[in-house]
Amino acid sequence: MKTLSKRIFAVVLTLAMTLTLTTWASAADFTDMPDNWAKAPLEAAVENGLLNGSDGLLRPTDYLTRAEMAAILVRAFGTTQSASVSGFSDVKANAWYVTQNAVPGAVFMEIMNGNSDGTFEPGKNITREQAFAVLARALKLEAGSSSVLAQFTDAAQISGWASGEVAAMVAAGYVNGSNGKLNPKGNITRQEFAQVMFNIFGDYISTAGTVTELGGKAVMINVPGVTVKDTTVHGDVIIGEGVGEGDVFFENVTIEGRVVVRGGGVNSIHFINSDSSQVLVSKIAGPVRIVADNASSVAEVAVIGGTDTVTVQGSVAKVAVEGTAPVVVKDATVGTVEVSSTAKVELDNAKVTTVAVNASNASVALTNGAAVATVDVAATAAGSTVTGEQGTTITTVKSDVSVTVAGDVKVNKTEGTGSVTDANGDVIATTPTSPSYPSGGGSTGGNKPTDPGTPGEKPVTPPTQPEIPDAAEDPSTEAKPEDKVDGGELTEQHTEHTFSSTPTSEKAASCTEFGEKTYKCNGCEAVKTESIAKTAHAPKDEPTKVVEATCSTDGYKSFDCKNCTATGVKVTTLNKTGSHTPSKNWSYDENKHWHQCTVCGNTNTDNAAHKFEEKSNTATCEKDGKKTSLCECGKSKIEDVKAFNHSWTNDAQQDPKTETVKQTCNNAGCGKTQTVECSSKANHSTATTEKSCGTCGYAGAPVEECKHTNTKLVSVNDNQHKTVCEDCKEDVGQPVNHTKVDGDVSKAATCCHTGTQAQSCTCGWTGTKVLPATGKDHTYKEGECDQTDPNAGTDNNTTTPDTP
């Protein structure tokens, strides 16, 4: 995983150790690395592969070109896909920005489009407002309000086309300006752009495996096979194009920001016992699937981009269809499906409380037993069509405009002044006595309710109890056909028919047909037929339909006949549970927060005053700013914060002959330096006595005569060590790579799982080496082998084996 050396990840690697031997540069490789505010963001950009430099130079103060910015974002998002750039007259096929997929990748991502005259201008410097706009597109930020820009004295200089995107970057806290200005028309330097990326992202996950510790900013995932587990993400999660058609898992994770899906495949982005307020799906090309289990709280999945099918599966509070990509809500329980475009929407075995149709000529299809409580057609949605196959149901269609309901879907009732007709133009006949589908489908996350009410009241309408169908009438009570005698003649010798006590033939009765017994006369050929009453229905052992009881409503089980097609021949009631199900997240108003029952809306008594924790602060040592604080319920507040004083820290120990010491302000985002005079010059003048300067911190043997004979190796980081003189503390030579010695194997590799082996260096460094899985000699032991034992009867282990 490529990340800052100070960031600690708990990662289970699934690739061989050789993959960590990257060709990316190290920050120490560049002779022009500055020692100021830009050092940390530039080091992060280098360590995460965003900036490569050339000829040992990083060129931090050079202006960033359009091609260079394209390259940085393509690397950050892991984009390997490309679009044709043959239409740009000034883009050369053999240029580095084409062969390294910079411009083709950025065009594919739809973040850089070129000019109306057919040029791209790859070598032109990019302005600050252009750079901010491109980033806002890549991050899928919603356009911000111009009021956010009022704090900058040069806000009027921002181009109209860029205003919303620049405001979005400012509102998100990614861009702060300088001295009250944004300088939108100025060119942005490489180090300034590195700072913006540093403001946005705290972690780049670029190696498959499990991550359990994250920083406090947005997270970029740009490879498949990543599991984020048992942690909280204090920002957005970007699933980049580098994930391709692979999978990403969130397990026991709380995501405080958005999840922006730009990559992923048909096997999906998985939420397992995890919370997210919003998932934005905008994969440019290829299908993608979002899956949330019943223990997760996903407030909204919004499909805003792409052209291929997006599948939403599991438990989700809301699905918003805003783009042109087809959307399939499959095997799901959903509160609201909101259709605001003409994209094809299919509800496949889905239970939906409300389908809100807001766009004209919209198309919604119900398949595989899908059930919708209410289809609510807005005044803006005239000409929309809802189709359904046999076995699908809609309890209520509400519309004040014309809408077509076609196919074999069963509609129980209609409301409103609009015309609800079938495909032939005939008005839909409704039967309001049929059972309706109860409300439900996911939680609302931590969103603030429209009218939160007072704790103890019921701001949410409880679900409607379905009508329980009556059991079919006992067939045995139906009137039997009359008995009759056919044929035979009565004579003087044969004055009446006498029939045998044993029937000559018999047809058994069933719950749908009468039976029949046939008797023959003892004295002639006459035949008497006697009908047998129908039998009672026999209910199946397992119920055909189950409506679970809730805290406020009874449920029921309905059994169909096992011998015929009669339905509801037996119905048993499931009593109310009496136990509320509080939402995972909070509802809140201005003064307090509380949990609500996800079924009936009752508010629990655990309401409490807000407790705010600081999340961001834009104030600096020299400029007033804003402090944003967040309560656990999601309620935020923004306060004005005055500028504060510098916090000076001495730099590395100085040469004893100098009379000054350099100090750097260690307040975040400052980076200013100053030079001050040592408090005791005498402590620097002696060549024989070990003394200490109170300001610069120097202590040690006289450096003037030091021969560097007393040296030791000191570990610098996970890759290098250096030689340091014990007497004068000076570095002796350049840092070199560790001489790593393999130690004990702490965990042996198996056929399917990696192992670990201790490593050490003479400088004192210790580390762990990953031993690749052998990929052979399967032993079929639990926890060691994920492959199916060919000699076993049934294998229920579906864990994907580690890649050898």
Side-chain angles (χ1 to χ4, degrees):
M1 181 174 299
K2 198 70 177 173
T3 184
L4 288 175
S5 59
K6 293 182 179 180
R7 177 78 68 236
I8 301 174
F9 280 172
V11 179
V12 180
L13 298 177
T14 61
L15 298 180
M17 193 67 177
T18 54
L19 292 182
T20 64
L21 301 178
T22 176
T23 58
W24 288 342
S26 169
D29 296 338
F30 300 105
T31 58
D32 59 348
M33 177 67 74
D35 187 15
N36 57 18
W37 61 267
K39 184 176 182 179
L42 285 171
E43 286 178 337
V46 171
E47 294 298 326
N48 289 296
L50 307 186
L51 287 176
N52 293 334
S54 60
D55 299 326
L57 297 176
L58 194 56
R59 300 181 288 112
T61 58
D62 283 8
Y63 290 129
L64 189 72
T65 68
R66 288 170 55 82
E68 288 173 338
M69 180 168 183
I72 292 173
L73 294 184
V74 164
R75 293 167 191 158
F77 285 75
T79 306
T80 58
Q81 307 93 323
S82 61
S84 173
V85 292
S86 59
F88 297 115
S89 59
D90 57 347
V91 172
K92 308 303 180 185
N94 60 349
W96 71 267
Y97 50 74
V98 173
T99 59
Q100 295 185 24
N101 197 40
V103 173
V107 174
F108 171 83
M109 293 171 66
E110 299 179 353
I111 57 176
M112 300 182 76
N113 304 316
N115 304 315
S116 58
D117 62 358
T119 61
F120 190 89
E121 299 182 307
K124 184 178 181 180
N125 295 334
I126 194 166
T127 65
R128 289 169 58 85
E129 68 177 3
Q130 289 171 344
F132 300 156
V134 170
L135 271 172
R137 296 170 198 163
L139 299 172
K140 294 297 176 183
L141 296 180
E142 186 176 349
S145 170
S146 59
S147 62
V148 176
L149 304 174
Q151 59 183 296
F152 302 105
T153 58
D154 56 355
Q157 299 177 20
I158 302 173
S159 300
W161 65 266
S163 177
E165 291 163 322
V166 174
M169 292 290 288
V170 172
Y174 300 152
V175 173
N176 300 316
S178 178
N179 296 322
K181 294 184 177 181
L182 272 179
N183 190 21
K185 294 295 192 293
N187 297 324
I188 193 168
T189 65
R190 289 163 61 85
Q191 65 184 11
E192 287 172 342
F193 190 72
Q195 178 67 60
V196 176
M197 295 294 284
F198 191 66
N199 293 344
I200 299 171
F201 293 108
D203 305 289
Y204 292 80
I205 303 178
S206 302
T207 302
T210 299
V211 179
T212 58
E213 295 184 19
L214 294 168
K217 303 178 184 177
V219 176
M220 169 65 76
I221 301 175
N222 55 26
V223 292
V226 170
T227 297
V228 181
K229 184 176 182 180
D230 300 333
T231 189
T232 296
V233 180
H234 301 288
D236 291 348
V237 175
I238 310 297
I239 299 177
E241 274 79 358
V243 173
E245 303 304 311
D247 298 350
V248 173
F249 291 81
F250 299 100
E251 185 174 346
N252 302 324
V253 175
T254 297
I255 302 170
E256 295 180 348
R258 309 165 304 151
V259 178
V260 179
V261 179
R262 299 186 63 109
V266 295
N267 287 329
S268 69
I269 311 302
H270 305 258
F271 293 88
I272 303 170
N273 192 30
S274 296
D275 298 345
S276 174
S277 61
Q278 187 180 53
V279 179
L280 289 179
V281 183
S282 184
K283 185 183 178 187
I284 302 299
V288 66
R289 181 172 67 130
I290 312 298
V291 177
D293 67 6
N294 291 334
S296 295
S297 175
V298 176
E300 180 183 44
V301 175
V303 182
I304 62 174
T307 57
D308 293 306
T309 301
V310 176
T311 301
V312 180
Q313 189 169 345
S315 178
V316 177
K318 179 181 179 181
V319 176
V321 182
E322 302 174 15
T324 59
V327 176
V328 178
V329 181
K330 180 179 176 63
D331 301 332
T333 303
V334 180
T336 300
V337 175
E338 187 176 85
V339 184
S340 302
S341 73
T342 57
K344 291 182 62 176
V345 178
E346 179 183 355
L347 309 180
D348 180 356
N349 189 33
K351 308 302 180 187
V352 181
T353 303
T354 302
V355 173
V357 183
N358 299 327
S360 61
N361 301 314
S363 173
V364 180
L366 280 66
T367 61
N368 292 327
V372 178
T374 302
V375 174
D376 194 347
V377 183
T380 56
S384 295
T385 301
V386 179
T387 61
E389 62 186 24
Q390 188 172 11
T392 60
T393 60
I394 300 174
T395 302
T396 305
V397 176
K398 297 171 63 176
S399 179
D400 289 332
V401 294
S402 62
V403 61
T404 301
V405 179
D408 295 322
V409 61
K410 183 178 181 180
V411 178
N412 292 329
K413 64 178 178 178
T414 61
E415 294 180 0
T417 60
S419 174
V420 182
T421 58
D422 61 20
N424 298 320
D426 298 327
V427 176
I428 297 289
T430 63
T431 53
T433 57
S434 299
S436 60
Y437 182 73
S439 301
S443 75
T444 59
N447 297 338
K448 180 179 178 180
T450 304
D451 181 9
T454 302
E457 296 179 353
K458 296 183 179 180
V460 180
T461 302
T464 302
Q465 168 65 31
E467 297 177 8
I468 300 177
D470 294 331
E473 184 179 355
D474 186 347
S476 64
T477 63
E478 295 183 34
K480 297 189 296 182
E482 294 182 356
D483 299 340
K484 61 182 178 178
V485 177
D486 294 323
E489 296 183 1
L490 296 175
T491 64
E492 293 181 3
Q493 292 81 16
H494 182 65
T495 58
E496 63 179 19
H497 295 299
T498 58
F499 296 95
S500 60
S501 59
T502 302
T504 56
S505 64
E506 183 174 353
K507 175 186 174 183
S510 69
C511 56
T512 58
E513 294 183 355
F514 290 96
E516 186 178 81
K517 293 181 181 180
T518 302
Y519 300 85
K520 187 175 181 181
C521 180
N522 294 324
C524 67
E525 296 301 319
V527 176
K528 180 179 75 170
T529 57
E530 184 179 282
S531 64
I532 304 173
K534 293 180 182 180
T535 63
H537 290 296
K540 293 179 179 179
D541 295 331
E542 296 296 329
T544 307
K545 182 176 182 181
V546 177
V547 174
E548 298 292 347
T550 69
C551 53
S552 59
T553 60
D554 290 337
Y556 70 90
K557 293 181 180 180
S558 177
F559 299 80
D560 293 349
C561 180
K562 67 171 65 174
N563 297 326
C564 68
T565 60
T567 60
V569 300
K570 175 184 176 184
V571 176
T572 59
T573 299
L574 302 176
N575 294 328
K576 300 175 185 177
T577 62
S579 176
H580 294 292
T581 305
S583 62
K584 284 187 176 182
N585 296 311
W586 298 88
S587 295
Y588 60 86
D589 59 20
E590 292 302 315
N591 301 313
K592 56 188 175 299
H593 55 223
W594 61 88
H595 287 292
Q596 284 183 301
C597 176
T598 58
V599 177
C600 69
N602 269 318
T603 55
N604 292 356
T605 57
D606 55 351
N607 58 87
H610 296 297
K611 293 182 179 179
F612 291 99
E613 179 182 352
E614 181 178 326
K615 291 297 181 181
S616 65
N617 193 331
T618 61
T620 68
C621 312
E622 300 176 337
K623 187 182 75 171
D624 295 344
K626 302 285 186 180
K627 180 177 74 172
T628 301
S629 302
L630 189 67
C631 179
E632 62 175 328
C633 67
K635 169 69 176 175
S636 62
K637 67 175 180 179
I638 300 177
E639 303 170 282
D640 293 327
V641 180
K642 294 294 184 181
F644 46 87
N645 295 327
H646 292 289
S647 176
W648 300 109
T649 300
N650 297 330
D651 283 3
Q653 293 177 339
Q654 305 296 298
D655 188 294
K657 293 182 292 183
T658 65
E659 297 182 349
T660 60
V661 61
K662 183 179 178 182
Q663 295 181 325
T664 300
C665 178
N666 60 12
N667 288 330
C670 180
K672 280 206 168 187
T673 61
Q674 68 175 8
T675 301
V676 298
E677 191 175 77
C678 287
S679 60
S680 177
K681 298 180 184 178
N683 289 335
H684 290 276
S685 61
T686 178
T688 58
T689 307
E690 294 185 7
K691 294 185 179 180
S692 173
C693 173
T695 300
C696 68
Y698 171 75
V703 177
E704 296 174 355
E705 301 177 1
C706 185
K707 304 300 182 182
H708 302 319
T709 57
N710 182 20
T711 62
K712 69 174 181 178
L713 295 179
V714 178
S715 176
V716 178
N717 52 40
D718 284 348
N719 298 316
Q720 294 182 323
H721 61 222
K722 64 182 179 181
T723 304
V724 177
C725 178
E726 291 252 58
D727 297 321
C728 65
K729 312 303 180 184
E730 288 187 4
D731 294 346
V732 181
Q734 296 296 319
V736 298
N737 291 336
H738 292 306
T739 303
K740 297 181 180 180
V741 179
D742 293 340
D744 295 335
V745 175
S746 54
K747 178 184 176 184
T750 68
C751 54
C752 297
H753 295 276
T754 57
T756 55
Q757 183 178 20
Q759 286 187 315
S760 62
C761 179
T762 54
C763 66
W765 173 87
T766 59
T768 302
K769 175 181 179 181
V770 176
L771 302 176
T774 62
K776 59 182 180 178
D777 300 328
H778 297 286
T779 57
Y780 304 107
K781 291 183 180 179
E782 182 178 358
E784 294 183 359
C785 183
D786 294 332
Q787 300 298 310
T788 303
D789 185 348
N791 299 317
T794 302
D795 178 44
N796 293 323
N797 189 347
T798 58
T799 303
T800 303
D802 292 343
T803 303

